[in-house]
Amino acid sequence: MIEGLRETKRAATAQALAEAAFHLAKERGLDGFVIDEVAEMAGYSRRTFANHYPCKEAAVASVAYAGIEAAADALEEVSEGRPLLDAVEVVLRLQLTTTGLSRMREVLTLARAYPSLEPHVYYVQHQMRLEVEERMVAVAAGHYPASYLTLLVGAVYGMVSSALEGLVDVRLPGDLPIRGAVEFDEFLTEVFKHLRTGF
Amino acid sequence: MIEGLRETKRAATAQALAEAAFHLAKERGLDGFVIDEVAEMAGYSRRTFANHYPCKEAAVASVAYAGIEAAADALEEVSEGRPLLDAVEVVLRLQLTTTGLSRMREVLTLARAYPSLEPHVYYVQHQMRLEVEERMVAVAAGHYPASYLTLLVGAVYGMVSSALEGLVDVRLPGDLPIRGAVEFDEFLTEVFKHLRTGF
DNA sequence: GGTGAACGTGCACGATGGGCAATCTTGCCT
DNA sequence: AGGCAAGATTGCCCATCGTGCACGTTCACC
């Protein structure tokens, strides 16, 4: 799982293209720009954009992925000598404090305005779930059967997904991610209350 | 929520187009046909296809939605004088016996071969979840707070979604949905074991 | 039975996706 | 150090796609 310079650069271009697409989408709306403009803003060609993303929507949605890899990485060390569910909760709250949540919130808000974004948003969420599940298995496969972990991650995913849905409705003038974060925090507490008794 | 002739016909058109797209996708692969062929097979024009679906992928994925409305309808009567979780389990097992599961399985299999399908598949799953959640609230809002129901449906959704993922791997020569159904059934039992203690 | 809204369709055109081939960069091996 | 294979980026090209617009037809409601 080493990351050579090659993959790093590839990821960087993808990132740059995604950020440009995201920026333009917030600025002018999803249908207010064309792929050429995204490519130009990021300093690449339209053809290169197509090498990384199949469409504008996928690029925009991909920014919601932010932070989950770092969170998944953290799972490894956090779970040392700690109940599994505690580790999961810590990691989720970590994701909450980084830009991860606000990014997801912005993307979900965009998706509400432009339905063609929605499939790609939920796909990104699905990929985040897979990322977490993979790490989870890597960390705890010795203590729990994989099917159990899959189920656990599924439950967490489903409930957190519900929480995210609720976040979009919150629409304050200042657009502070704080308020959303607080609500999300309370929701997380509720989620883990159920999880601790059920798992 | 009455359904006039107008909406019936509109739904029928969408259905016909989706079935045609699904058929062609199985027959020739997702990139083995163009929208004109779908429209022709269903007896409509390309322009009409575009009025119903934004792209081939959305049409193909939409067939996985099969049965969920009937299942959600059933929730209403099944939940009479019965614990909520029991009702949910009954309804899910109902969905399992209808064509619902095999359709989902076929679509997921297609999506594995053609990644561009995946976002739309997960979007359809998300819509199914919303459908169930809506009915759930309609049925049980008097007994439980909505936030609780949302969380419950989220947990069910996440775990069932995991189970579906596993189904795709099952690949028998005869391609009988039976085997997949049996595994799914066992998985459901496991799912509700956790749910009953956690909710 | 009339009328306004919604659906299906044809047309037109800009945007898109992806195959192909050329060029440059990176990783690895000698 | 140097060269070579794999992979990234790009331009070119064109079939396909998305969608605004206008028109005829069908349906819901009065």
Side-chain angles (χ1 to χ4, degrees), chain B residues 15 19 61-71 95 98-101 103-104 124 128:
Chain B
Q15 180 84 6
E19 290 295 337
S62 77
V63 305
Y65 200 75
I68 196 64
E69 290 182 329
Q95 173 76 357
T98 61
T99 57
L101 181 65
R103 270 305 172 83
M104 180 60 81
V124 168
M128 294 171 84

Side-chain angles (χ1 to χ4, degrees), chain A residues 37-48:
Chain A
E37 297 177 285
V38 178
E40 188 188 9
M41 173 172 292
Y44 293 95
S45 70
R46 184 171 74 88
R47 192 64 189 76
T48 294

Side-chain angles (χ1 to χ4, degrees), chain B residues 73-125:
Chain B
D73 282 342
L75 188 65
E76 215 147 341
E77 37 186 311
V78 166
S79 68
E80 294 287 341
R82 198 189 308 235
L84 182 58
L85 271 174
D86 289 4
V88 175
E89 183 170 4
V90 167
V91 163
L92 266 183
R93 292 190 187 278
L94 179 99
Q95 173 76 357
L96 168 65
T97 61
T98 61
T99 57
L101 181 65
S102 63
R103 270 305 172 83
M104 180 60 81
R105 191 158 161 259
E106 287 184 287
V107 170
L108 282 171
T109 304
L110 266 177
R112 168 153 307 187
Y114 303 95
S116 69
L117 243 184
E118 297 204 325
H120 300 274
V121 173
Y122 294 114
Y123 184 48
V124 168
Q125 287 189 7

Side-chain angles (χ1 to χ4, degrees), chain B residues 33-56:
Chain B
F33 63 98
V34 293
I35 292 182
D36 294 84
E37 298 178 285
V38 178
E40 187 188 10
M41 173 172 292
Y44 293 95
S45 70
R46 183 172 77 93
R47 192 64 187 77
T48 294
F49 179 94
N51 283 340
H52 288 268
Y53 301 100
C55 58
K56 284 192 291 191

Side-chain angles (χ1 to χ4, degrees), chain A residues 4-61:
Chain A
L5 189 81
R6 184 153 246 154
E7 290 163 29
T8 304
K9 287 194 75 172
R10 179 172 175 78
T13 54
Q15 180 84 6
L17 289 166
E19 290 296 338
F22 180 57
H23 178 77
L24 285 172
K26 280 196 296 183
E27 198 84 8
R28 314 185 198 165
L30 189 60
D31 45 9
F33 62 98
V34 293
I35 292 183
D36 295 81
E37 297 177 285
V38 178
E40 188 188 9
M41 173 172 292
Y44 293 95
S45 70
R46 184 171 74 88
R47 192 64 189 76
T48 294
F49 179 94
N51 283 339
H52 287 268
Y53 301 99
C55 57
K56 283 191 292 191
E57 287 81 1
V60 173

